[in-house]
Amino acid sequence: LAAVFPELDKLFGVPQPPKHHPEIDTGIHVMLTLQAALNLMQTQPLEKADRVAILFALICHDLGKGMTPEHKWPSHPGHESISEHLTEKLCTRLRAPNQVKRLGMLVANYHTHSHRAFELKPATVMRLLEALDVMRRPDTLPLFLLACEADARGRTGLEHRDYPQADYIRDCTTAARQVDAKPLVALGFKGETLGIELRKRRILAIRDVKNAYVKEQ
């Protein structure tokens, strides 16, 4: 592994906060996420290429933790963007398919956004949906969410935890998609102003979803 996949090999022995990661070891956590993903895939019909993309994304999602200086352990500030960068370099070296590279980089950079979804401002949720390009590429969302749920469950003793963040992000996506541009065009919006107004109303729709979730708590 050290010769073929040194980025992954470096994760074994790297500690994480036991509060969130009872297994502590980052390398073990990555292995647990793969098992969690396989368990989730049993209930969701997926193409082989999608399965491969999800599993590869999970292998890469915490690569940045292998770069954290030891004096900062067990925390790993900013590991998401580092993981994204390492994933891109790895995919270039392995000549990975574009779908694998894209999902891997998205999961690396945004998996903690998914975990913290209920804490995010509506505008931040909108930025996440824009990064995923959910309006034009809706097939990305279920793959991203399955990977994030597998990450949340890939922890000792937490294999069966609920992951309501996935439903919340799906509901926010549905609300944003339902904002139609046609009435705005009829009101005279066009060009750049149309895009700005459309985005603003999508954020308001996400805010309504967030408020509804808060009331249910």
Side-chain angles (χ1 to χ4, degrees):
L1 187 61
V4 178
F5 208 152
E7 299 92 343
L8 177 59
D9 186 65
K10 287 181 68 173
L11 298 183
F12 290 91
V14 175
Q16 304 169 104
K19 176 182 177 181
H20 303 294
H21 289 276
E23 72 287 346
I24 299 176
D25 189 287
T26 305
I28 293 174
H29 163 62
V30 171
M31 297 299 102
L32 291 173
T33 67
L34 298 178
Q35 185 59 59
L38 291 173
N39 293 339
L40 289 168
M41 287 177 186
Q42 292 179 1
T43 62
Q44 300 187 31
L46 293 169
E47 299 291 335
K48 180 179 179 180
D50 293 335
R51 293 164 62 90
V52 169
I54 290 169
L55 294 173
F56 187 82
L58 287 167
I59 289 174
C60 297
H61 81 284
D62 273 347
L63 291 181
K65 292 182 178 179
M67 303 295 288
T68 304
E70 290 188 23
H71 71 271
K72 293 187 177 180
W73 289 355
S75 63
H76 298 276
H79 78 276
E80 299 90 348
S81 59
I82 299 172
S83 298
E84 180 189 34
H85 175 68
L86 291 175
T87 299
E88 183 176 24
K89 289 181 62 178
L90 176 63
C91 288
T92 299
R93 188 176 83 232
L94 298 179
R95 298 180 182 179
N98 288 335
Q99 178 192 6
V100 170
K101 178 180 178 180
R102 179 172 180 270
L103 185 66
M105 292 176 65
L106 286 171
V107 172
N109 202 8
Y110 293 103
H111 62 279
T112 53
H113 277 61
S114 180
H115 300 335
R116 296 174 50 245
F118 294 118
E119 305 169 28
L120 301 180
K121 296 178 180 179
T124 306
V125 174
M126 187 67 218
R127 286 196 292 273
L128 170 62
L129 301 186
E130 289 168 339
L132 297 174
D133 200 8
V134 296
M135 303 301 171
R136 296 185 302 171
R137 306 173 80 163
D139 293 345
T140 299
L141 184 65
L143 307 186
F144 173 80
L145 291 177
L146 192 150
C148 292
E149 183 170 357
D151 177 35
R153 292 188 177 194
R155 310 173 192 218
T156 302
L158 301 175
E159 295 85 355
H160 303 292
R161 73 192 307 186
D162 291 332
Y163 196 70
Q165 295 94 322
D167 285 336
Y168 176 65
I169 293 173
R170 279 190 284 264
D171 287 347
C172 288
T173 302
T174 298
R177 282 181 179 148
Q178 289 175 345
V179 178
D180 193 356
K182 291 180 181 178
L184 299 180
V185 173
L187 291 173
F189 288 98
K190 58 183 178 180
E192 184 178 355
T193 58
L194 173 61
I196 292 172
E197 185 64 22
L198 185 61
R199 186 176 190 275
K200 184 187 302 183
R201 297 197 181 199
R202 284 173 173 166
I203 292 173
L204 291 175
I206 293 171
R207 185 193 65 183
D208 290 342
V209 173
K210 182 178 179 67
N211 290 340
Y213 267 77
V214 170
K215 289 181 180 178
E216 291 177 1
Q217 300 305 314

